Amino acid sequence: MSSLAEHSPRKGQSLEKQVDTVRVFDQSFYWLAVIGAIGIGGVLLWIAVQIGLSALPAIQSYGVDFLTTTTWDPVRNIYGVLPQIYGTLISAAIALVIAIPVGIGVAVFLSENFLPNAVRTPIALAIELIAAVPSVVIGLWGIYVLIPFLRPFYNFLYENFGWIPLFSTPPRGNSLLTLGLVLSVMILPTIIAISRGSLIALPRDLRQGALALGATRWETILRVLIPAAFSGIVGSIMLALGRAMGETMVAAMLVGNSNQITPSLLAPGATIASLIASQFGEAGREQVAALLYAGLILMILTLIVNILAEIIIQKFQNVE
Amino acid sequence: MNSDTINTPNSTSSNTTQEAILRAENVSVTYGSFQALRGVTLDIPKNQVVAFIGPSGCGKSTLIRCFNRLNDLIPGTKVGGKVTYQGVDIYGDKVDPVQVRRRIGMVFQKPNPFPKSIYDNIAFGAKINGYKKSEMDEIVERSLRQAALWEEVKDKLKESGLSLSGGQQQRLCIARTVAIEPDVVLMDEPASALDPISTRKVEELIQELKENYTIVIVTHNMQQATRVADLTAFFNAEAEEGGKRFGYLVEYNKTEAIFNNPKEEYTRQYVSGRFG
Amino acid sequence: MATTEDTIGRTKKINLTRSARTPFRSYFDFFMTFLTGAFTILTIVPLVALVWDVVRQGIDRLGIQSFTELPPPPGLEEGGFGNAILGTLITLGIAAAISVPFGVLAAIYLSEFGRGTRIAYGVKFATNVLAGIPAILAGLFAYTVVVLTTGGFSAFAGGVALSVVMIPIVVRATEEGLLLVPQEMRQAAVGVGATNFQSISRIVVPAALPSIATAVTLALARAGGEAAPLLFTALNNNFWSTDIWQPIATLPVLIYFYAIIPYEAQKEIAWAAALVLLGIILIVSISSRLLARQRL
Ligand SMILES: Nc1ncnc2c1ncn2[C@@H]1O[C@H](COP(=O)(O)OP(=O)(O)OP(=O)(O)O)[C@@H](O)[C@H]1O
Ligand SMILES: [Mg+2]
């Protein structure tokens, strides 16, 4: 507190004047903070508007057909992102199919006292760390370690279940399935952290109430706790979906960047993000415009998903 | 205070004719290194209402939670002595706490309905305990009637249990407890969060439930104890050398005797309001 | 065994053992616990495998020259990625210079002035949505705002793109840190006549400084690993560069380019660079989390 004493009006200085400058200073600081805060919204808006405006020329040239065209041909300047939209959604769907049950399961396992704290804490930390690994490093690992490791399984799937459309093409390591698998691991920390948070935040009485009725532990979890934490869990899944759709480097390195739509998950494909990452370097003016249009589509998709996620999670917190 | 001198109804009154459904024998509870309760011995006779009274922190909740093994949920809790339900040691090796809780229900201080519909709040316990789907409507209605809630909610069974008032929520919690037909209902200050009218409803309810259930109720409200309880146990907390406090049973007798003619000085002071 | 009758006259045997459960009920609990436990292990396995492989593949090539030398031209063996490390530091420096003052001011507003207000609610909402924007879009944004207007790819453009990644992290973590400062401290400061600015700048922010430092470090760790925002902003550079208006090499972009070209030496450099990047990020992430936990 001694530092504050120095700030009381000094002798020999007019009290009024001191108060005046201090107030002006205080006010400007307040407004600076306000500007900083509102600036966050401003940045968000700026990004949206900027990308939207830059995409405008391409929107004018290609219109809505851009969404339904399956060619990406810089030579003839024909551009469409249907295969990329397809690949974005399919790889994200694969990731969610795996990550939802696993993520909720882990969230429950780590929110209950199945493990002593001394074990639970490092595991939770390790899961948080998955989110910290740079995606190029995951991509590098995916190319040289994971794909060779998965190849025998892919061959097995193709040879034995090739009659199912999902596995009907000879496996190349780079594929929507590989991307989906890696994405599932990458989005797990999001699902686990937020779901676990909303499970832990549930009132203790709820669990006691169920157990006091003779419910087993898992009956309590599945029928009372998970439904009660439902919106938090759904919100976490939405956030994870947004993350999966926007992931770039892993997609660019593992999906194969092939401009096609096939039902086979073993076939290479592309996502919007991987298209932008892999094409931008060599792109001429026309193609850059088309890529900005693709970026706008990605932004709209992820904005919708993220805004929904936020609304769901906020609603949940307000109920608490 | 010597626990040997503590009276149990069996040794003092006509209650000896009553069969004890729950029995605590020399029960001590420690949370980690803290002994919350020491050497409690008492019998809960069948189809009676037993009230636990005593100053805050003397271990009433701790004891009541021993009866349905809810203390199991708190890590580091140790229960010494013996608790028997119809002669079976509920802390015995092979005993499944789930089965204990299925027979010994509990109503909590703060109403804690599940965030589900009124109907599902009651159906939940019944379903997991193997009652048939076809009986469910009947069970829901019967339980709500028993809890004197049916008339108020019969038209909105699909609404959330959380949409009810506090008093209604508490009766919903009682309804969901009786839905699975336990033998004993434990109530830990069930009316302390309620307004006077709701409190009266809950008290009337206890009187009615007594026909079919054995009830153990913790209360801070001495009027309430005299109104609802057949027997009353008075607990106190005492400081040991070194400042550690532990709770123990001071006196246990017919409610009337505890309030009008207590044997112990502490009890007399407490019930006459001249105490902590 | 004792018996008793229930309200509707059925006789219930007193069986309190597990055998009183239906078989489904008794096995289901075991099964679910086992399954979710297995899921938990399954979740960690890829991380452990990845760290292990990166160490194994990267360690051979790692040496002093990694930090001091330029990458070799295709076909040659020797060399390192010193320029990329320097470039990562420079772009991060630019990103921090933009995002930290901005983010900290916003966080100060959220925790000191705006608590519970509509504006604060909106700002938090915007922060969370911004955090969810794919990094590649931050790159596109910086491309259109900086690259197109300044006439070329540059370290500065890369820094701008990374600052977009950092801002939400800085805001959220700083706000958390400020909220941990006890309310009494503020009251004490205001009580002796301090203005808001004095109380915040002399008392609150210094008290929260460790958390703010952690927040900034975490944001740097996160942004330092991003390649997507740099691909068409900072681009790449095979030489040493400290000019913020020139393209610049960075570790993530170098890893990406070298991972997808078919030269063995470059591949090895990519692994070594991955080891350095991953090592720094994991160490920073673990230690800042441990520090944050200690403070609680
Ligand atoms: N989970 C716990 N861990 C550690 N100590 C506990 C725990 N629960 C209760 N205690 C302690 O045990 C003692 C008895 O607590 P208990 O809740 O049984 O008291 P009570 O008689 O129910 O009080 P009240 O009338 O306030 O509800 C208290 O000193 C309390 O601090
Ligand atoms: Mg209590």
Side-chain angles (χ1 to χ4, degrees), chain A residues 249-308:
Chain A
M249 300 320 295
V250 164
M253 294 165 91
L254 298 181
V255 79
N257 299 315
S258 158
N259 194 33
Q260 60 171 347
I261 300 180
T262 84
S264 172
L265 304 180
L266 299 176
T271 71
I272 301 175
S274 82
L275 173 82
I276 300 172
S278 60
Q279 298 289 315
F280 213 101
E282 295 109 51
R285 181 176 260 288
E286 300 267 352
Q287 201 186 347
V288 165
L291 288 170
L292 283 163
Y293 191 179
L296 177 65
I297 292 165
L298 178 62
M299 188 175 67
I300 292 170
L301 284 178
T302 50
L303 274 184
I304 292 173
V305 167
N306 278 301
I307 288 175
L308 280 180

Side-chain angles (χ1 to χ4, degrees), chain B residues 31 34 36 55-62 74 189 220:
Chain B
Y31 294 113
F34 171 72
S56 194
C58 64
K60 306 176 298 292
S61 300
T62 300
I74 304 165
E189 303 184 39
H220 274 286

Side-chain angles (χ1 to χ4, degrees), chain C residues 194-206:
Chain C
T195 64
N196 273 332
F197 173 70
Q198 288 162 339
S199 141
I200 291 167
S201 66
R202 298 262 179 146
I203 305 291
V204 180
V205 169

Side-chain angles (χ1 to χ4, degrees), chain A residues 1 3-8 18 22-23 25-26 29-30 32-41 43-44 46-48 50-51 54 101-106 108-110 114-115 121-138 140-141 143-145 185 188-189 192 214-219 222 239 242-243 245-249 252-253 257 273 276-278 280-281 288 291-292 294-296 298-300 302-303 306-308 310-311 314-315 318, chain C residues 21 25 28-30 32-34 36-44 46-47 49-51 53-54 56-57 102-103 105-106 108-110 113 119 121 123-138 140-141 143-145 148 153 164 167-168 171-172 185 188-190 192-203 221-222 224-228 231-232 235 251-253 255-256 258-261 267 270-271 274-275 277-278 281-282 285-286 289-290 293:
Chain A
M1 298 299 110
S3 64
L4 274 170
E6 299 165 11
H7 256 259
S8 50
Q18 160 85 15
V22 165
R23 182 182 303 141
F25 209 68
D26 206 41
F29 177 65
Y30 170 77
L32 210 60
V34 171
I35 290 167
I38 294 180
I40 306 276
V43 169
L44 186 61
W46 188 9
I47 294 176
Q50 185 73 31
I51 292 181
S54 328
V102 175
I104 297 176
V106 176
V108 168
F109 195 76
L110 294 178
F114 288 112
L115 296 174
T121 314
I123 291 182
L125 178 65
I127 291 173
E128 280 177 44
L129 288 182
I130 296 175
V133 177
S135 48
V136 270
V137 175
I138 297 180
L140 178 72
W141 180 75
I143 294 176
Y144 295 108
V145 181
V185 177
L188 271 173
I192 294 171
T216 64
R217 192 210 276 263
W218 276 98
E219 283 163 352
L222 292 175
L239 283 183
R243 181 136 197 243
M245 294 197 309
E247 174 50 48
T248 305
M249 300 320 295
M253 294 165 91
N257 299 315
I276 300 172
S278 60
F280 213 101
V288 165
L291 288 170
L292 283 163
L296 177 65
L298 178 62
M299 188 175 67
I300 292 170
T302 50
L303 274 184
N306 278 301
I307 288 175
L308 280 180
E310 280 314 310
I311 291 174
Q314 301 267 1
K315 213 168 102 193
N318 289 349
Chain C
R21 292 191 193 179
R25 279 185 96 194
F28 184 69
D29 260 42
F30 282 124
M32 287 304 292
T33 305
F34 175 81
T36 51
F39 281 168
T40 306
I41 296 170
L42 205 71
T43 304
I44 312 272
L47 176 73
L50 178 137
V51 172
D53 286 319
V54 170
R56 207 165 44 103
Q57 307 259 19
F102 189 23
L105 272 178
I108 286 177
Y109 175 80
L110 290 178
F113 299 121
I119 296 183
Y121 181 85
V123 171
K124 277 190 204 174
F125 197 96
T127 310
N128 291 343
V129 174
L130 194 60
I133 293 235
I136 184 113
L137 295 181
L140 283 186
F141 169 71
Y143 173 81
T144 59
V145 171
L148 289 185
F153 302 107
V164 174
I167 286 171
V171 175
R172 286 200 284 200
M185 272 204 194
V190 174
V192 295
T195 64
N196 273 332
F197 173 70
Q198 288 162 339
S199 141
I200 291 167
S201 66
R202 298 262 179 146
I203 305 291
R222 170 72 207 287
E226 288 285 0
L231 282 177
F232 28 83
L235 204 65
L251 278 175
V253 172
I255 295 170
Y256 173 56
Y258 284 3
I260 57 176
I261 60 171
K267 208 177 96 183
W271 279 108
L275 176 56
L277 188 61
L278 184 65
I281 286 176
L282 287 189
S285 305
I286 293 174
R289 278 181 176 81
L290 292 182
R293 232 160 245 170

